[in-house]
Amino acid sequence: MGLRDRIAAGHVETVPDAEEVTLDQMSVSFIRRKLVEEVNLGELSQLSPSQRRARLERTVGRILSREGPVLSTNQRSALIRQIVDESIGLGVLEPLLADESVTEIMVNGPNEVWVERNGRLERTGTTFRDEVQLLQTIDRIVSTVNRRVDESSPMVDARLPGGERVNVIIPPLALGGPTLTIRRFPRLYTLEEIVAIGSLDAPTAELLRALVRARLSVLVSGGTGAGKTTLLNALSASIPGSERIITVEDSAELKLQQPHVIALEGRPANVEGKGAVSIRDLVRNSLRMRPDRIVVGEVRGAETLDMLQAMNTGHEGSLSTVHANSAEDAVSRVETLASMSDVKIPYEALRDQINGAIDIIVQLERGIDGLRRIVEIASIASRRRELFRLETLMAFDPDPLGADRVVTGRFTHFPLPDRVARRMSIAGEQPPVEFTIAADAPQAPEREVD
């Protein structure tokens, strides 16, 4: 019985005159079955994603014209999009993925979908039909990277073809139902654009450019979603195009524009638990590839020690990120991560490695208003096996929070320490005047890290 016949027989309710199509699932399933019967899957696999979508939209349109109910133009377009999204895309999530203002999608079970826009969380009206449909969407995601998710493997990290990072956790670990988190690929920002949105000021941006050009090693620190990768991308643009750059990431997000870039990406274990390639393996291998600079997307384990050793053995000017809530925490966390290596090194020797390897720490923070800001730039003043000492080069001084909950304040600059100024001078770089010594200039705050 065709769809028109089923409607005439009273098996399907008339489609309401609304923007969203509400045909029952049996009717949608009928159209999808007809679609499978009429398309040539072999021919479809040879098409690009945009061509594949266009072909399926035309085919669904013909099926609706031949066997479907009478629909308004908006209803017809919405139904076609729904069926095609469920066939080759991520179903109800496709409109959210198409929305460039959405930076993160969080699915907390079939009836609760949240997104992040402009640094703020908001709940959407998007829902899945049931848990089965959500699990089908999850399975479609993980199958594209040859992974599986089930009770024996209830947690999965993956990356979509478009670069989005995906985390899945299902029952019995997720008590409220299957949970899916999709983090959008960060848009490329230049330092000028970061200045324009108020995340830092122009003198500080120029200082950061000069520090990178002068081959000082920079560690970008911040919490989850603070914008570390975005800033790392922007900083990397200051690396001269004549240098050979090796990037190492767990999930490739960096998009360097220089002509000589080798991008390496870690690989998780396969369904048999074999074949994993860790960040540490890649960092070690990168040292054999004659790099001028190494850019590690994030240090989070034993690879930290290898990164420190690389910085101390002729690979100055390297860049990396770490999860930490302050510049002091960043130094302590790097020390802790480096101690996780299978090579047992005394803490005094680790301090020696860190003091010699990392020159600058850039601390990011996401404010209560959702804007990501550089709240501090500090240099490591300690040498050799001394206790860690930091000197502040720039600090964001916030005003008391007003009723509008918008963070305001000013960026305060301090004269560069002699060691940093000398490194820059040797490299032919001049700091902005705001960071030079003046008779009435405040001295850079210095503090020890416990």
Side-chain angles (χ1 to χ4, degrees):
M1 181 183 292
L3 190 55
R4 282 200 179 100
D5 297 329
R6 295 176 58 233
I7 292 174
H11 297 305
V12 181
E13 295 180 0
T14 304
V15 179
D17 187 15
E19 191 70 23
E20 181 180 351
V21 177
T22 56
L23 284 174
D24 64 48
Q25 187 57 30
M26 185 182 300
S27 307
V28 175
S29 298
F30 172 81
I31 298 172
R32 289 185 63 184
R33 285 198 304 273
K34 297 296 291 184
L35 177 63
V36 172
E37 293 172 3
E38 296 193 16
V39 297
N40 185 325
L41 297 179
E43 180 183 352
L44 207 61
S45 64
Q46 305 299 317
L47 302 177
S48 68
S50 59
Q51 292 173 326
R52 191 179 305 133
R53 174 173 286 275
R55 177 71 61 83
L56 290 177
E57 286 176 349
R58 289 196 298 270
T59 305
V60 173
R62 287 199 300 269
I63 295 172
L64 285 175
S65 297
R66 187 176 66 241
E67 304 187 50
V70 177
L71 301 171
S72 71
T73 301
N74 289 339
Q75 291 172 335
R76 179 183 174 89
S77 298
L79 181 57
I80 291 174
R81 184 172 61 249
Q82 174 190 341
I83 293 173
V84 174
D85 285 346
E86 291 184 359
S87 299
I88 62 172
L90 299 184
V92 298
L93 297 182
E94 283 293 328
L96 299 178
L97 287 169
D99 186 348
E100 294 186 357
S101 68
V102 172
T103 55
E104 198 142 2
I105 301 170
M106 292 145 279
V107 181
N108 306 337
N111 300 316
E112 189 176 328
V113 179
W114 293 73
V115 298
E116 182 189 67
R117 284 190 178 95
N118 302 317
R120 298 174 184 268
L121 295 180
E122 58 184 71
R123 186 169 181 174
T124 71
T126 301
T127 60
F128 289 82
R129 183 176 65 254
D130 50 30
E131 191 168 296
V132 172
Q133 187 187 26
L134 174 54
L135 286 171
Q136 289 173 343
T137 301
I138 290 173
D139 185 63
R140 184 173 296 152
I141 292 172
V142 300
S143 65
T144 61
V145 289
N146 296 318
R147 305 289 299 279
R148 72 180 183 195
V149 58
D150 50 34
E151 287 192 6
S152 63
S153 180
M155 293 189 298
V156 170
D157 279 309
R159 182 163 57 89
L160 296 178
E164 297 88 350
R165 289 167 58 178
V166 175
N167 175 268
V168 174
I169 183 167
I170 65 171
L173 301 186
L175 302 182
T179 302
L180 169 66
T181 307
I182 302 177
R183 188 172 184 183
R184 301 293 298 274
F185 189 87
R187 183 174 85 79
L188 296 182
Y189 282 86
T190 64
L191 282 176
E192 290 81 4
E193 290 176 309
I194 294 176
V195 169
I197 62 177
S199 293
L200 76 162
D201 61 345
T204 303
E206 184 51 44
L207 175 67
L208 289 173
R209 291 191 195 92
L211 292 171
V212 173
R213 291 193 297 260
R215 298 185 65 84
L216 277 80
S217 294
V218 178
L219 181 68
V220 179
S221 168
T224 301
K228 298 185 296 297
T229 303
T230 299
L231 180 62
L232 192 64
N233 251 321
L235 291 177
S236 69
S238 299
I239 299 176
S242 59
E243 297 186 16
R244 177 175 168 89
I245 309 166
I246 310 294
T247 68
V248 179
E249 298 177 87
D250 189 38
S251 181
E253 293 185 5
L254 295 171
K255 294 292 182 182
L256 276 63
Q257 304 302 309
Q258 289 83 349
H260 200 164
V261 178
I262 308 298
L264 307 179
E265 182 182 39
R267 184 178 67 189
N270 58 22
V271 293
E272 298 174 349
K274 300 178 181 179
V277 179
S278 69
I279 298 300
R280 187 178 191 190
D281 296 331
L282 295 178
V283 171
R284 286 180 167 181
N285 189 78
S286 69
L287 300 178
R288 306 184 184 101
M289 300 173 67
R290 198 267 177 210
D292 289 309
R293 305 214 196 196
I294 301 173
V295 180
V296 179
E298 181 185 342
V299 288
R300 61 178 71 179
E303 73 277 358
T304 306
L305 179 60
D306 299 283
M307 182 67 184
L308 293 173
Q309 291 175 338
M311 291 177 174
N312 275 312
T313 54
H315 301 95
E316 297 174 327
S318 295
L319 309 173
S320 187
T321 75
V322 68
H323 273 83
N325 293 326
S326 67
E328 293 95 331
D329 288 348
V331 177
S332 299
R333 181 157 172 75
V334 167
E335 184 179 36
T336 301
L337 293 174
S339 69
M340 294 167 61
S341 169
D342 52 4
V343 179
K344 300 305 178 185
I345 299 180
Y347 276 99
E348 293 82 2
L350 280 180
R351 283 202 300 270
D352 190 359
Q353 290 282 322
I354 296 170
N355 283 332
I358 301 174
D359 299 303
I360 302 295
I361 298 174
V362 180
Q363 183 65 36
L364 285 161
E365 185 178 288
R366 181 168 59 177
I368 197 170
D369 57 355
L371 182 63
R372 298 158 173 87
R373 292 179 180 84
I374 295 179
V375 295
E376 183 180 10
I377 297 178
S379 70
I380 295 184
S382 45
R383 299 288 86 194
R384 305 297 296 171
R385 300 193 176 194
E386 297 176 353
L387 291 176
F388 296 123
R389 287 182 292 110
L390 300 181
E391 288 181 285
T392 301
L393 310 184
M394 186 280 291
F396 178 72
D397 183 20
D399 298 323
L401 196 63
D404 58 1
R405 311 293 287 177
V406 175
V407 178
T408 60
R410 65 211 52 81
F411 296 96
T412 304
H413 312 103
F414 301 95
L416 296 183
D418 289 341
R419 184 180 65 86
V420 175
R422 186 167 58 252
R423 287 275 303 274
M424 293 179 63
S425 178
I426 292 172
E429 297 292 338
Q430 295 298 321
V433 66
E434 289 82 358
F435 294 92
T436 57
I437 295 176
D440 58 347
Q443 293 301 304
E446 183 176 310
R447 71 271 191 193
E448 282 191 353
V449 179
D450 295 331

